[in-house]
Amino acid sequence: MKYLLALDHGTTSSRAVVYDCELNPVASARREFAQYFPKPGWVEHDAMEIWESVVGTGREAVAASGIAATDILAVGITNQRETVVLWDRETGRPVHRAIVWQDRRTEDYLAALRECGKESFIQDRTGLLADPYFSASKLHWMLREIPDGHKRAANGDLAAGTVDSWLIYKLTNGREHVTDVSNASRTMLMNLQTGTWDTEMLSLFDIPEALLPKITPTSSLLGASAAEWFGVPLSITACVGDQQAALFGQLCTSPGMVKCTYGTGCFLLKFLGENIARSHNRLLSTVAWKLGESPIQYALEGSVFMGGAAIQWLRDGLGILRSAPEVNELAGRVQTSGGVILVPAFTGLGAPYWDASARGMLIGMTRGTTSAHIARATLEAIAFQVTDLVTAMDKDSNHPMQLLRVDGGASASDLLMQCQADLCGVQVERPENIETTALGAAMLAGLGAGVWKSAGELHDQPNRMTLFTPAITAKDRRGRLKTWKRAVRRAQHWEQSL
Ligand code: ADP
């Protein structure tokens, strides 16, 4: 029997899963890593800790599976996207903490670009909106911050990239500096049409090309890990952004299919195929994947910054939960939020608002409000935000969504999923295995290693689903969405309403 190893590096934890070639998980390991918040709106990770957590969980999962490393056919890497690492090529050590996708420190810089009228140019070239979310402005900031940054970058003394390129660099002991096209499409430096670094975007952000990795297909032979990490060299045959991995893991491989992942943030992606669709409702055009030499496939995406992270805030910020899953018991104690509304704009608002200046708001409390109402309002807030994405996606399309496939840690909540079905007015389908990110990476690695000849062969995998059906009236839905919209407007204009 041969096996596939998925290395799934998320925003808050790294996971590794060993799958057999029928895609049954055999063993897994997981490790959380530190989050750094040096200033309001700033979020950083220690890139060495990222690397150690990935290689550490990889080794633990292989040891727990009891298989010999020689039986691992291939490795697939999937990762938090947009987060940037900058390191010294000579020493292989980071020269700054990684700046995380949630970080807003470059908002003023991007606001200046928007004021100069660059937004439509950026959108046209990259499919993205001029927001601090993406890698380019973060890398620009780092190069200015470190001594002689630009000089060292132009000389080729430094290397940079999204986390996938850092992990492959470390796994191959510095032999490969590559990134796949799905990750590169999130940097704001790649030309969406051609799948290559765009010289005008590089010059707009003043980033020398010598700093950046080579862009490769998502699924193909990307390199081999050095023998010291797993005992033998292992072929790395897939590298893919986490949301695209989940899209593939959910087998959304026919145009029009949609999934939403409820992790730290929430990410709604619709697979488009070979055609790039341009959104008129502030969604993003992005790369889904590129399988070997076949053409690039695209997706439309909407992202919410505070998804499961809002539940973590109840745990860590308010201290009303000991663990995230407890939110369901607490919120379940009440039938409604009792008029309480949470707009979790703690790091601004993502799609479709793209408002970095919005701030979190908890409103509608009375003397009768309890932690249970706040917990319920938090789950509802996640579902309201995803509903905004579904509405935007429907406006961009001639075919309204019929079914929403869901996955990710917070999709384990039945209460949240029922609320989602109610607010969207569409059926919500949850697979038995909600870890579709790792699964997608394993599938893509298997394709890259020739286990399957095409994605079509993967559709035969059995999967049990739970279905959530809308249970409120259209009138009720409209009323609740109207109230939510008004609350969002307040959170956007909070300074004026003080
Ligand atoms: P990521 O890959 O972004 O690190 P995960 O897919 O692991 O995220 O999901 C973690 C998120 O899911 C956390 O933010 C947590 O609050 C939430 N979560 C985990 N278990 C549950 C649960 N049973 N009910 C509701 N939310 C949950």
Side-chain angles (χ1 to χ4, degrees):
M1 190 68 152
K2 291 287 180 191
Y3 298 85
L4 299 163
L5 172 63
L7 299 176
D8 171 6
H9 164 71
T11 307
T12 54
S13 70
S14 295
R15 278 159 291 203
V17 188
V18 176
Y19 291 90
D20 65 24
C21 284
E22 277 155 14
L23 296 170
N24 301 303
V26 177
S28 66
R30 181 190 184 108
R31 219 182 265 180
E32 285 205 8
F33 51 86
Q35 311 285 317
Y36 297 92
F37 307 107
K39 289 188 188 178
W42 291 29
V43 189
E44 297 180 349
H45 290 157
D46 176 343
M48 282 313 284
E49 195 187 350
I50 287 181
W51 156 240
E52 280 153 18
S53 72
V54 169
V55 74
T57 49
R59 288 156 73 138
E60 270 171 51
V62 174
S65 71
I67 63 167
T70 43
D71 285 333
I72 297 175
L73 203 57
V75 179
I77 294 171
T78 181
N79 55 286
Q80 55 162 325
R81 307 170 303 169
E82 298 100 12
T83 299
V84 191
V85 186
L86 180 63
W87 67 94
D88 185 314
R89 276 187 203 272
E90 186 70 27
T91 63
R93 308 259 338 158
V95 296
H96 195 279
R97 279 217 202 107
I99 303 186
V100 179
W101 57 272
Q102 294 157 318
D103 192 290
R104 316 299 297 169
R105 78 185 64 182
T106 56
E107 170 54 18
D108 288 349
Y109 174 65
L110 282 156
L113 287 184
R114 287 195 299 267
E115 269 153 38
C116 305
K118 295 282 184 208
E119 178 136 80
S120 61
F121 169 69
I122 292 175
Q123 192 176 13
D124 184 56
R125 281 298 161 91
T126 67
L128 309 175
L129 293 163
D131 189 88
Y133 179 24
F134 307 101
S135 321
S137 64
K138 298 180 197 293
L139 191 49
H140 172 91
W141 187 94
M142 276 201 228
L143 287 181
R144 270 199 339 209
E145 184 68 10
I146 63 160
D148 294 328
H150 271 104
K151 201 164 123 213
R152 290 164 70 196
N155 287 346
D157 298 339
L158 298 177
T162 41
V163 180
D164 53 308
S165 66
W166 163 244
L167 294 175
I168 295 176
Y169 192 85
K170 295 303 275 181
L171 280 170
T172 61
N173 281 356
R175 278 195 309 276
E176 305 293 342
H177 185 210
V178 295
T179 188
D180 96 293
V181 69
S182 73
N183 274 295
S185 75
R186 313 296 299 183
T187 59
M188 200 176 266
L189 298 171
M190 194 193 86
N191 184 307
L192 192 62
Q193 200 98 42
T194 62
T196 55
W197 298 124
D198 187 293
T199 35
E200 284 177 81
M201 292 308 298
L202 292 175
S203 94
L204 183 65
F205 288 97
D206 204 7
I207 291 171
E209 194 168 344
L211 189 62
L212 297 177
K214 182 178 144 218
I215 302 177
T216 68
T218 306
S219 158
S220 67
L221 183 61
L222 302 167
S225 66
E228 68 184 283
W229 306 121
F230 298 101
V232 291
L234 297 179
S235 303
I236 304 165
T237 56
C239 169
V240 59
D242 54 7
Q243 297 314 317
Q244 288 90 335
L247 189 68
F248 199 82
Q250 289 267 26
L251 292 173
C252 293
T253 53
S254 303
M257 293 179 80
V258 188
K259 71 89 201 180
C260 185
T261 300
Y262 298 75
T264 305
C266 295
F267 300 88
L268 186 77
L269 270 79
K270 181 196 264 188
F271 182 71
L272 298 172
E274 283 178 39
N275 298 318
I276 305 176
R278 302 285 178 176
S279 174
H280 301 290
N281 293 283
R282 302 186 70 69
L283 299 174
L284 310 172
S285 307
T286 199
V287 168
W289 45 73
K290 174 172 162 60
L291 306 180
E293 292 314 307
S294 39
I296 297 177
Q297 309 285 302
Y298 295 94
L300 202 59
E301 171 171 337
S303 3
V304 161
F305 298 149
M306 291 291 288
I311 300 169
Q312 286 172 331
W313 173 73
L314 296 182
R315 186 191 63 188
D316 307 333
L318 290 191
I320 61 172
L321 304 174
R322 268 168 312 190
S323 71
E326 266 185 31
V327 70
N328 300 303
E329 191 274 321
L330 184 60
R333 287 187 206 165
V334 288
Q335 290 303 310
T336 71
S337 72
V340 176
I341 297 176
L342 172 70
V343 183
F346 300 112
T347 55
L349 287 168
Y353 306 100
W354 298 105
D355 185 347
S357 62
R359 281 298 167 268
M361 186 181 77
L362 190 58
I363 200 167
M365 284 167 290
T366 65
R367 281 294 295 275
T369 298
T370 66
S371 54
H373 295 106
I374 295 175
R376 195 160 185 118
T378 305
L379 292 181
E380 289 180 357
I382 299 172
F384 272 125
Q385 292 180 99
V386 170
T387 303
D388 285 340
L389 300 181
V390 170
T391 307
M393 220 167 247
D394 276 350
K395 279 192 198 155
D396 267 335
S397 149
N398 299 326
H399 308 285
M401 202 173 295
Q402 300 295 330
L403 180 75
L404 180 61
R405 295 184 175 200
V406 297
D407 55 55
S411 76
S413 167
D414 285 359
L415 223 160
L416 172 58
M417 292 302 103
Q418 184 57 49
C419 186
Q420 191 65 78
D422 289 347
L423 292 176
C424 284
V426 299
Q427 289 206 315
V428 168
E429 187 182 78
R430 182 179 66 196
E432 192 176 21
N433 172 12
I434 55 173
E435 295 258 355
T436 47
T437 308
L439 181 67
M443 287 172 165
L444 287 160
L447 278 173
V451 177
W452 305 282
K453 289 193 181 58
S454 72
E457 287 181 35
L458 290 161
H459 285 266
D460 301 331
Q461 304 299 324
N463 206 342
R464 258 174 292 155
M465 305 287 180
T466 309
L467 208 59
F468 298 87
T469 303
I472 63 171
T473 64
K475 184 166 171 248
D476 197 5
R477 182 176 307 125
R478 275 195 303 274
R480 294 181 67 187
L481 291 176
K482 205 166 150 197
T483 310
W484 164 252
K485 285 271 178 211
R486 283 165 53 202
V488 169
R489 267 198 298 279
R490 278 216 169 182
Q492 289 187 278
H493 304 289
W494 63 279
E495 276 176 309
Q496 292 95 304
S497 50
L498 285 181

